[in-house]
Amino acid sequence: MSFDLSALLRPHIRNLKPYTSARDEYSGTEGVFLDANENPYGSITDEDFNRYPDPYQQGLKDRIAKIRDLDSSRIFLGNGSDEAIDLLFRAFCNPGVDNVILLPPTYGMYGVSASINATETISVPLTEDFQLQSEKILEAFNEKSKILFICSPNNPSGNSLNHDEIEKLIKEFPGIVVIDEAYVDFMSEESFVKKLDEFQNLVVLQTFSKAWGLASLRLGMAFASEEVIRVLNKIKPPYNISGLTQTTVLDALGNIDQMKKMVANILEQRNHLRSELESIDGVIKVFPSDANFLLVKIANASKAYQDLIERKVILRNRSNVMLCEDCLRVTIGTAQENEIFLSELKNWLSKNS
Ligand SMILES: *Cc1c(COP(=O)(O)O)cnc(C)c1O
């Protein structure tokens, strides 16, 4: 499918003149800085935060570019990947006119962002075992369909979606295809970042919130063609990533070994939790997972969810979500947390089945 980004963009975004910040006009580090109305004396904190941060986070992007083996011009950084999701709507979806394709059960923010941006959603459910219905997806879109959201590994089911089917969709869908790889570090399959050269309409989302243990800092990544990245940069708030986040994450990227150790622990715990759960009477099914959580089916899940909260064990109740009837989503915790969860669940099931 040939791809014309300019035709896909909302006309006023195509023609938008972006805000130019003080730090856009002069980006050197030496000088007498009287351009940005900052406090010249410093901050009221131990560390100084008085200067505006780099609006394009170049140092951080250079480091990420090395790690992900692509050019830094193909990286957008957002205040969480949720910011990138919202910006994609704002760039491509004319409110009340355009639509996006969602594949439920999937990550809730796509639908919420669609609502905020007054954009209709067309839902094509996954199969019973949470795989793509490619033919149905290709039948469902129309000339107003701007974005197709594919979450792989999928939240809340946990499994990776079939790589070849995803690739077929990227080839045939005439708009932007977003592959949300928030859980990429927990999966064994290859990331779609490797396919960016091949597909101009591909946007891959990743985040520092899960494997890296930096959810509170709010940093998400979008990888795409240089053209798409330029659009996102044009419409983002000028200083969307705080200086503290930029320096902290730059430091953290020197600690990849530690991240890998934590991921290895989580994967080991995932195996353990799965085999323990499968041995419990009353657990109907534990779904396959390439992520840091398991989707678990039990009878009367909503009641279990409520009762476990009373016991201070907090899970995510997905019972009311399409294809997830009576399912709870449990994040892989520490060994100790998982033991507490298992013992509370066993206890509940023995009293309630
Ligand atoms: C957790 C999660 C995100 C991460 O969002 P951030 O805003 O980066 O914290 C994105 N997509 C999916 C599917 C997720 O589960």
Side-chain angles (χ1 to χ4, degrees):
M1 184 78 53
S2 76
F3 177 69
D4 180 355
L5 181 73
S6 156
L8 205 64
L9 277 175
R10 295 169 70 189
H12 74 286
I13 297 291
R14 197 185 305 139
N15 303 324
L16 177 79
K17 264 199 147 342
Y19 173 76
T20 56
S21 70
R23 294 296 130 85
D24 280 328
E25 289 173 13
Y26 180 80
S27 62
T29 50
E30 298 286 312
V32 177
F33 286 95
L34 305 177
D35 58 345
N37 301 346
E38 296 149 337
N39 186 327
Y41 292 106
S43 311
I44 56 166
T45 45
D46 292 340
E47 211 182 318
D48 277 340
F49 296 114
N50 54 322
R51 299 295 177 186
Y52 279 101
D54 174 0
Y56 298 108
Q57 312 96 23
Q58 199 51 51
L60 186 50
K61 280 181 185 168
D62 287 344
R63 186 70 75 86
I64 295 169
K66 268 211 189 100
I67 293 170
R68 288 293 188 247
D69 191 24
L70 39 67
D71 198 89
S72 67
S73 60
R74 320 195 58 176
I75 305 174
F76 169 83
L77 297 180
N79 186 355
S81 25
D82 290 347
E83 181 176 33
I85 294 168
D86 179 64
L87 290 176
L88 288 165
F89 276 96
R90 294 211 250 163
F92 294 105
C93 300
N94 293 294
V97 176
D98 292 326
N99 65 68
V100 298
I101 313 281
L102 304 188
L103 314 176
T106 194
Y107 184 46
M109 276 311 290
Y110 315 139
V112 171
S113 260
S115 299
I116 292 169
N117 290 285
T119 298
E120 192 195 329
T121 60
I122 297 178
S123 287
V124 185
L126 298 173
T127 60
E128 293 270 313
D129 56 351
F130 302 120
Q131 283 299 332
L132 296 162
Q133 307 204 67
S134 304
E135 294 312 318
K136 290 207 170 141
I137 295 166
L138 293 174
E139 280 163 24
F141 75 75
N142 57 43
E143 69 283 0
K144 300 290 182 203
S145 303
K146 294 297 187 73
I147 310 176
L148 164 62
F149 284 95
I150 300 175
C151 188
S152 181
N154 186 46
N155 182 359
S157 56
N159 61 302
S160 298
L161 305 184
N162 183 289
H163 204 277
D164 295 340
E165 294 287 314
I166 294 178
E167 198 162 320
K168 184 165 117 187
L169 289 169
I170 302 171
K171 282 183 188 146
E172 310 234 343
F173 186 74
I176 297 285
V177 177
V178 174
I179 317 278
D180 189 339
E181 294 186 338
Y183 300 97
V184 66
D185 303 285
F186 305 102
M187 76 176 182
S188 36
E189 281 176 57
E190 181 127 301
S191 161
F192 269 90
V193 166
K194 293 270 170 283
K195 298 280 179 180
L196 283 170
D197 281 337
E198 221 172 304
F199 303 116
Q200 291 300 299
N201 61 334
L202 174 60
V203 176
V204 179
L205 301 180
Q206 294 181 2
T207 179
F208 284 94
S209 297
K210 310 285 158 68
W212 292 88
L214 299 171
S216 170
L217 289 181
R218 311 304 303 129
L219 191 68
M221 299 167 270
F223 303 103
S225 73
E226 215 178 311
E227 243 185 322
V228 169
I229 298 299
R230 258 201 305 270
V231 171
L232 296 177
N233 278 333
K234 196 160 99 160
I235 65 176
K236 79 184 183 73
Y239 303 108
N240 60 328
I241 308 297
S242 81
L244 187 60
T245 296
Q246 292 186 43
T247 53
T248 310
V249 177
L250 196 52
D251 263 4
L253 287 172
N255 268 335
I256 295 190
D257 286 348
Q258 164 135 25
M259 181 274 273
K260 291 193 169 153
K261 254 187 235 156
M262 291 195 288
V263 168
N265 274 339
I266 290 168
L267 295 183
E268 194 185 312
Q269 284 299 316
R270 187 176 77 192
N271 285 339
H272 172 71
L273 198 55
R274 165 183 303 285
S275 62
E276 290 293 310
L277 282 165
E278 283 171 344
S279 73
I280 299 176
D281 265 354
V283 169
I284 299 165
K285 180 158 183 155
V286 185
F287 289 88
S289 173
D290 286 309
N292 64 341
F293 57 85
L294 292 171
L295 190 71
V296 184
K297 186 175 175 104
I298 59 173
N300 231 335
S302 290
K303 175 80 166 62
Y305 165 75
Q306 283 302 338
D307 291 348
L308 285 175
I309 284 179
E310 297 290 311
R311 303 286 305 160
K312 298 203 159 39
V313 173
I314 299 96
L315 309 175
R316 194 91 156 114
N317 183 11
R318 299 285 81 183
S319 295
N320 300 321
V321 170
M322 184 184 288
L323 298 170
C324 297
E325 199 185 326
D326 271 330
C327 286
L328 301 172
R329 193 193 70 191
V330 49
T331 305
I332 311 300
T334 62
Q336 195 191 7
E337 288 170 330
N338 298 334
E339 287 321 308
I340 295 171
F341 158 65
L342 284 167
S343 114
E344 291 292 345
L345 182 69
K346 267 184 219 166
N347 188 29
W348 187 88
L349 284 167
S350 70
K351 289 183 191 147
N352 288 274
S353 49

